[in-house]
Amino acid sequence: SSSEKGNTIGLTPLPEALRDPAKAACESLAQRLSAVRYSTRFALALFYESKSIDMQTLLNSQHWRGKYVFDDPIVRYLSIENYKFSRDESEMLALLVHTSVPFGIDALSKIRVAEAADGEEGRVRAELITQEQILRSVGELLPILSGVTPCKSVLHTWEQSQVSKGFYQSSNIVHQPAALALGLEETGPFKVLLEDDLHSKEDP
């Protein structure tokens, strides 16, 4: 029922656990937890009508469902989502794009500056610029989409993508625990931080 309470909550990312740092086990632990840093990137979902592109040619010419891209400064990962559901060329193309971390950090900084200067209008304008930059790179990587306007697009700011500086600084994770207990609160469940927040990861 809605009145029932769970006994344990798994928390990730760390900002969810540090909304009230005083509830951490001790001050030094809270400081170490607060020092964990995350990489930032954008995710862009693009949808193209089948009549605007040669879907069959695209799907047949790409021998991957998802792939990492390392020779582009903006795009880091591409995924043709149709492969997850259907290869029917009559359906619209669904393409998922992840940006690189350096681009994500720079673009998010510009969006925040624009929002501070011009409010909501500035933020929207900066996000459109970010999306246009990503689209240009997609067109270069997939020439069949160059100059084609998606019928729908959704830009997501992935501010806490992966851990760039973890709770544990050693690269040897064999003897490091995969979770960290924060303690038992009198009026709440037992909180456990999960592995994603504890270990640093390579994240281009």
Side-chain angles (χ1 to χ4, degrees):
S1 67
S2 59
S3 61
E4 293 179 347
K5 295 183 179 180
N7 295 322
T8 304
I9 292 180
L11 297 172
T12 185
L14 276 175
E16 297 298 322
L18 295 176
R19 294 187 185 280
D20 185 357
K23 293 183 179 180
C26 64
E27 183 178 352
S28 61
L29 176 60
Q31 290 175 348
R32 288 182 65 188
L33 293 174
S34 297
V36 173
R37 293 293 178 265
Y38 297 84
S39 58
T40 297
R41 68 177 81 240
F42 287 86
L44 178 63
L46 300 170
F47 302 90
Y48 296 86
E49 293 179 345
S50 57
K51 63 182 180 182
S52 65
I53 58 173
D54 188 341
M55 281 283 291
Q56 186 172 13
T57 298
L58 173 65
L59 295 177
N60 290 338
S61 64
Q62 304 303 323
H63 304 292
W64 47 267
R65 299 186 179 186
K67 71 172 183 177
Y68 283 93
V69 179
F70 296 103
D71 56 356
D72 187 89
I74 294 179
V75 173
R76 186 60 70 239
Y77 178 77
L78 292 168
S79 173
I80 299 176
E81 297 294 282
N82 298 63
Y83 280 111
K84 296 180 180 179
F85 309 103
S86 170
R87 292 191 62 173
D88 185 354
E89 59 268 21
S90 66
E91 297 180 359
M92 70 170 56
L93 169 68
L95 182 70
L96 179 64
V97 185
H98 291 176
T99 71
S100 68
V101 171
F103 175 81
I105 293 173
D106 181 64
L108 181 58
S109 175
K110 291 176 179 177
I111 290 172
R112 287 176 170 169
V113 169
E115 184 175 25
D118 299 318
E120 179 73 7
E121 183 178 343
R123 181 187 63 79
V124 171
R125 184 171 61 249
E127 287 181 346
L128 285 175
I129 292 174
T130 297
Q131 182 166 310
E132 289 171 359
Q133 291 176 301
I134 300 172
L135 278 172
R136 281 197 296 270
S137 279
V138 170
E140 293 172 0
L141 294 167
L142 296 174
I144 195 172
L145 297 180
S146 180
V148 181
T149 302
C151 61
K152 182 179 180 181
S153 60
V154 180
L155 182 69
H156 172 68
T157 305
W158 201 353
E159 192 167 350
Q160 296 161 350
S161 169
Q162 291 173 290
V163 176
S164 59
K165 178 184 177 184
F167 181 82
Y168 298 110
Q169 296 306 302
S170 172
S171 59
N172 181 10
I173 66 173
V174 175
H175 300 295
Q176 296 172 357
L180 179 68
L182 290 186
L184 184 65
E185 300 175 18
E186 294 181 1
T187 59
F190 190 63
K191 293 183 178 180
V192 178
L193 299 179
L194 305 181
E195 179 178 14
D196 276 359
D197 293 306
L198 303 181
H199 306 299
S200 302
K201 299 176 178 65
E202 292 291 333
D203 194 15

